[in-house]
């Protein structure tokens, strides 16, 4: 069975990636005890290993790789970097929604550590195991928010920290793609589309569902476009088809869950 490490697998899209019986899954989470949805999954699937790791703490990821290595004999086929900070209370903020510049700076720096340095930490930590496999696939879960054409097409002036920092992560993935190309790696960024993850958002569930509705109506009002969120199941099923079909020609691309290179709605 192929092996996948899913970084940030406690809930939402990552949880769905981890909920599979036909592969060996290493579900890396920063709080294994508190990841109740994932613990339920691991109780049903013996192939799902819950492993501790926080993407802002590089040494915790190095420890995670040791645990993976013990199960796989030193290899890993696929790395799916999904972890990100999408705190519903802050993620939709625009430049004017911070109390002052100090608050804005602090929010950006804290998000940068998770959403941009996080994937660099995860790829670097798992690289020795990925190099030992013949598969050599790295998928960073991206977002349409990080695309400048989408920003214009959907008139998205808000979600500033999230969008700018995910854009930095997109470039980081491209840098890894170029760096690792001659070793036979395929490194891509993959957009999941808009996904309603409120069902596993715990106390933020209602606020997240309301924010997604508000976001969809504001896009509709500004552009006339209908944006309907998918379920995590729908999005991940589509993403897995893209991941299963990855080829060397995809290396370095920003792909969309429906296949092909990411392109904004119009
Ligand atoms: N949902 C969408 O519509 C959408 C659209 C475009 C792109 N995306 C992308 O898809 C990915 C998943 O989004 P989602 O909606 O599923 O988000 P989510 O439900 O908020 O889940 C985020 C995941 O990241 C984990 N995480 C956060 N900080 C972490 C850290 N320091 N170390 C390890 N794990 C950490 C969370 O763990 P905890 O439970 O410990 O917080 C959680 O498992 C993200 O990369 C996001 O940018 C989502």
């Amino acid at each position: 069975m192929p092996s996948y490490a899913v970084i940030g697998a406690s809930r939402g899209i990552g949880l769905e990636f981890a909920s599979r019986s036909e592969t060996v899954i290493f579900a890396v989470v920063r709080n294994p005890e508190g990841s109740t949805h994932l613990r339920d999954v691991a109780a049903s699937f013996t192939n799902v290993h819950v492993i501790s790791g926080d993407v802002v703490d590089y040494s915790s990821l190095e420890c995670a790789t040791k645990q993976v290595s013990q199960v796989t004999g030193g290899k890993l086929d696929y790395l799916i970097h999904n972890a990100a900070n999408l705190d519903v209370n802050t993620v939709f903020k625009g430049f004017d929604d911070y109390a002052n510049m100090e608050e804005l700076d602090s929010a950006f720096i804290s998000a940068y550590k998770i959403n941009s340095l996080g994937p660099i930490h995860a790829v670097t930590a798992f690289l020795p195991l990925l190099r030992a496999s013949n598969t050599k696939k790295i998928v960073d879960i991206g977002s349409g928010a990080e695309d400048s054409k989408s920003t214009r097409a959907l008139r998205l002036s808000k979600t500033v920290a999230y969008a700018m920092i995910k854009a930095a992560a997109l470039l980081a993935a491209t840098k890894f793609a170029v760096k690792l190309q001659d070793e036979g790696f395929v490194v891509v960024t993959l957009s999941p589309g808009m996904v309603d993850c409120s069902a596993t958002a715990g106390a933020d569930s209602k606020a997240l569902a309301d924010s997604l509705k508000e976001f969809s109506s504001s896009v509709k009002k500004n552009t006339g476009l209908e944006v309907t969120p998918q379920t995590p199941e729908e999005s991940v099923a589509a993403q897995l088809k893209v991941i299963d079909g990855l080829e060397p020609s995809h290396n370095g691309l920003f792909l969309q869950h429906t296949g092909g290179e990411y392109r904004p709605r119009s």
Side-chain angles (χ1 to χ4, degrees):
M1 287 204 285
S3 55
Y4 291 70
V6 182
I7 315 298
S10 62
R11 52 197 167 87
I13 294 169
L15 176 70
E16 188 59 32
F17 269 121
S19 308
R20 300 171 66 197
S21 59
E22 72 282 11
T23 57
V24 181
I25 299 283
F26 299 99
V28 179
V29 293
R30 59 181 165 174
N31 177 8
E33 286 308 307
S35 299
T36 49
H37 298 287
L38 178 63
R39 282 168 54 198
D40 289 347
V41 168
S44 319
F45 297 119
T46 52
N47 58 305
V48 176
H49 305 264
V50 179
I51 300 209
S52 181
D54 185 326
V55 301
V56 298
D57 175 3
Y58 184 67
S59 63
S60 76
L61 295 176
E62 287 184 309
C63 288
T65 67
K66 290 193 182 110
Q67 291 175 62
V68 171
S69 186
Q70 278 168 6
V71 178
T72 62
K75 295 181 189 176
L76 178 69
D77 296 324
Y78 293 83
L79 176 70
I80 300 183
H81 185 89
N82 170 79
N85 176 6
L86 289 102
D87 181 351
V88 69
N89 302 305
T90 54
V91 75
F92 294 105
K93 281 189 176 184
F95 291 124
D96 300 334
D97 297 327
Y98 296 92
N100 50 49
M101 257 326 141
E102 287 72 32
E103 188 185 292
L104 181 147
D105 288 359
S106 161
F108 269 62
I109 289 165
S110 141
Y112 192 83
K113 286 187 174 168
I114 300 174
N115 295 359
S116 197
L117 295 179
I120 297 173
H121 292 168
V123 172
T124 305
F126 280 94
L127 207 43
L129 301 193
L130 292 159
R131 280 188 167 123
S133 153
N134 291 328
T135 307
K136 297 187 171 61
K137 302 283 193 305
I138 299 174
V139 178
D140 184 42
I141 304 302
S143 167
E146 71 206 43
D147 177 72
S148 59
K149 287 189 189 130
S150 261
T151 301
R152 289 195 301 274
L154 299 179
R155 300 183 59 189
L156 303 174
S157 64
K158 301 256 180 177
T159 60
V160 287
Y162 174 74
M164 287 172 58
I165 291 160
K166 289 292 277 189
L170 173 63
L171 200 54
T174 314
K175 296 283 184 194
F176 274 117
V178 173
K179 172 181 150 76
L180 298 170
Q181 177 151 351
D182 291 345
E183 294 183 49
F185 272 86
V186 179
V187 185
V188 297
T189 298
L190 177 57
S191 163
M194 189 172 160
V195 187
D196 181 353
C197 296
S198 58
T200 52
D204 288 335
S205 183
K206 183 172 178 322
L208 182 57
D210 290 347
S211 296
L212 288 173
K213 275 190 203 130
E214 204 179 298
F215 174 81
S216 297
S217 10
S218 108
V219 170
K220 170 91 176 152
K221 186 169 151 236
N222 289 338
T223 67
L225 291 171
E226 293 280 358
V227 188
T228 310
Q230 313 154 90
T231 63
E233 292 83 350
E234 288 165 340
S235 170
V236 169
Q239 290 184 73
L240 286 171
K241 278 191 197 155
V242 174
I243 293 170
D244 288 346
L246 285 177
E247 293 183 1
S249 61
H250 294 122
N251 188 39
L253 296 183
F254 180 17
L255 302 173
Q256 56 188 10
H257 68 291
T258 47
E261 277 198 72
Y262 183 83
R263 53 186 180 279
R265 292 276 311 276
S266 55

